Amino acid sequence: SLMYSGIPWLQNEMRTVIERSLDFMLDTGQIPHHFQNATPTYVSLCKANQTGPNAFLISSALLYVENTGDYAWLQKNLGRLEKATQYLIDLY
């Protein structure tokens, strides 16, 4: 709903969340499952690697660009998004 709000401040907050996850991406392309305070955690509570964080992040990033037209941001982050996508492909 943040993406569809049309409110630039909310959309920028969503971009910040996306960028934070990308900043903590592992060399394998795995996105953190969640953060505990400021510490990224890469596995779920059941200690399994999850595909969801990567899938949701990629989808959110594309929705951000679709709703804001911020193609410069997409160009800047395309390599990291491709790496996150490759992680999903490698798991399957």
Side-chain angles (χ1 to χ4, degrees):
S1 62
L2 295 176
M3 285 298 113
Y4 297 112
S5 69
I7 301 170
W9 183 83
L10 290 176
Q11 292 172 329
N12 288 337
E13 288 298 300
M14 190 63 202
R15 184 189 68 226
T16 299
V17 171
I18 294 166
E19 289 172 348
R20 182 171 187 230
S21 291
L22 287 172
D23 289 344
F24 284 95
M25 180 171 49
L26 297 177
D27 290 339
T28 61
Q30 184 179 14
I31 297 296
H33 183 270
H34 62 279
F35 289 84
Q36 196 161 18
N37 298 319
T39 305
T41 303
Y42 295 89
V43 295
S44 69
L45 295 174
C46 69
K47 305 296 183 209
N49 287 338
Q50 301 288 312
T51 58
N54 283 57
F56 292 129
L57 179 120
I58 294 161
S59 176
S60 295
L62 295 176
L63 284 172
Y64 167 75
V65 174
E66 178 184 8
N67 284 280
T68 64
D70 192 351
Y71 293 101
W73 181 89
L74 178 61
Q75 184 65 34
K76 178 182 170 190
N77 290 283
L78 193 55
R80 298 195 301 171
L81 293 170
E82 287 173 341
K83 189 174 192 177
T85 303
Q86 189 61 51
Y87 176 79
L88 291 177
I89 293 168
D90 290 346
L91 282 179
Y92 289 115

